[in-house]
Amino acid sequence: MAEPPSHLSSFKDELIQLIKRLGTYLALKMSNLFSISLQKLDPRSVGAIAGLAVAIIFTYRFTRSPAPPTRRQPKRQAPTTSSTAISTQSNITLMPSGVYSSSEDLRAQNTFDEFFQPVKQPTLGQIVRQKLNEGRKVTCRLLGVILEESSPEELQTKATVRPSMFDVLLEITKFCDLYLMERVIDDESEKNVLLALENAGIFTSGGLVKDKVLFCSTENGRTSFVRQLEPDWHIDTNPEIVSQLARFIKYQLHVSPVKTEWTTGKVLSSPSLEKFFG
């Protein structure tokens, strides 16, 4: 704060000394006043005392009056967030229209790209689960579906797994209890089938065990297997077996190069198992 000038300081000191002398004089007068009887007071003495009291009060109020406030230089404050935001907004307002145009064009282009970007294709596993309608147990014939051969007689010499079936079987066995079955003529045919499945990696990577590969000597034997296992899905190439099982099995897939129209909605048709899964 600014200090008072030197002449004001000296004036205040002289005034304080005067008050002290008046105080001393007043003390003497008061002592003399109270020592005199009230009846002996004359009007002149009363007037002198009253004038002295007024002088003391005036002097006291003058010395206690506050000094005029000094003007302080206001400090420069840092711009607040709101002022910055206002400044930024004003700057934005003052931006040329060409900048706004380019920004809107970029946003429109991004929206266009997002809308027309290629849709992600579902994985094979997702398709298998969707097609099988979350079924948990599946039975499937080997000939004409898993194997390239189409008759039991061909299995007496060899058995060949369709190359495209490995991934499909792998996905099915991930969440389904899968049983493979076929009618064979002799024990040699069984060995050929098991060897073909093993060489294709079905038993190692596919999650299938040999105990779930079933063999029978008649078509009715396969029908009995299916009814005993009570699967959610059965896959077969023989329309007679599909028809017999229609009232016992929840869903069936008839694999045939010729599309067959089934009256029941529980039987679907496809030229191959691979095409059924897209």
Side-chain angles (χ1 to χ4, degrees):
M1 296 180 58
E3 296 182 357
S6 59
H7 67 278
L8 289 179
S9 180
S10 60
F11 174 76
K12 186 176 290 187
D13 294 339
E14 293 176 0
L15 190 59
I16 291 173
Q17 294 297 330
L18 177 61
I19 292 173
K20 288 182 179 181
R21 288 196 296 268
L22 287 175
T24 303
Y25 176 77
L26 180 61
L28 293 175
K29 280 290 184 179
M30 292 296 291
S31 61
N32 294 332
L33 178 64
F34 284 106
S35 63
I36 300 175
S37 172
L38 292 176
Q39 288 80 6
K40 295 182 178 180
L41 284 177
D42 57 353
R44 185 180 299 178
S45 299
V46 173
I49 294 173
L52 179 62
V54 170
I56 292 173
I57 293 172
F58 177 79
T59 304
Y60 175 77
R61 294 191 63 180
F62 176 79
T63 56
R64 296 291 296 175
S65 62
T70 58
R71 293 185 178 182
R72 300 177 61 184
Q73 186 69 19
K75 295 182 180 180
R76 299 185 63 183
Q77 298 181 355
T80 60
T81 305
S82 58
S83 62
T84 305
I86 296 173
S87 176
T88 305
Q89 185 176 1
S90 62
N91 292 337
I92 294 175
T93 306
L94 296 176
M95 289 175 65
S97 60
V99 177
Y100 264 106
S101 177
S102 61
S103 176
E104 291 176 357
D105 291 344
L106 180 60
R107 185 161 55 251
Q109 182 64 37
N110 292 337
T111 304
F112 181 84
D113 293 341
E114 291 178 1
F115 185 79
F116 287 100
Q117 66 181 355
V119 181
K120 292 183 178 179
Q121 296 296 330
T123 63
L124 179 60
Q126 293 173 338
I127 296 175
V128 169
R129 293 174 67 98
Q130 180 182 6
K131 287 286 189 176
L132 295 181
N133 199 22
E134 300 296 333
R136 291 300 179 181
K137 184 182 288 187
V138 178
T139 56
C140 180
R141 183 181 188 180
L142 284 163
L143 286 173
V145 181
I146 307 299
L147 302 178
E148 292 184 353
E149 290 76 20
S150 58
S151 65
E153 289 75 18
E154 295 177 78
L155 296 179
Q156 291 181 298
T157 56
K158 66 170 184 173
T160 307
V161 177
R162 299 166 65 95
S164 57
M165 286 305 305
F166 176 79
D167 292 336
V168 175
L169 291 177
L170 178 63
E171 294 300 332
I172 293 176
T173 54
K174 281 182 179 180
F175 66 95
C176 287
D177 191 12
L178 177 63
Y179 291 85
L180 302 179
M181 54 189 65
E182 190 50 65
R183 178 175 71 90
V184 293
I185 297 175
D186 50 23
D187 294 340
E188 191 66 27
S189 299
E190 293 184 19
K191 293 179 182 179
N192 291 337
V193 172
L194 293 175
L195 182 60
L197 295 173
E198 185 175 2
N199 292 337
I202 304 300
F203 296 134
T204 55
S205 302
L208 184 71
V209 295
K210 293 182 179 181
D211 292 341
K212 292 184 178 181
V213 181
L214 309 178
F215 298 99
C216 57
S217 58
T218 62
E219 292 291 287
N220 289 334
R222 189 163 74 252
T223 304
S224 299
F225 282 155
V226 175
R227 292 190 59 180
Q228 291 175 14
L229 292 170
E230 298 181 345
D232 298 305
W233 279 83
H234 176 63
I235 305 168
D236 211 299
T237 60
N238 191 332
E240 294 182 4
I241 293 182
V242 172
S243 179
Q244 294 174 11
L245 294 173
R247 56 180 178 160
F248 302 108
I249 308 303
K250 188 175 182 180
Y251 299 107
Q252 289 191 91
L253 175 63
H254 178 221
V255 177
S256 172
V258 180
K259 187 175 181 179
T260 305
E261 296 295 336
W262 296 91
T263 56
T264 174
K266 298 192 299 181
V267 179
L268 304 178
S269 181
S270 176
S272 66
L273 189 59
E274 303 97 307
K275 290 187 178 181
F276 176 70
F277 293 121

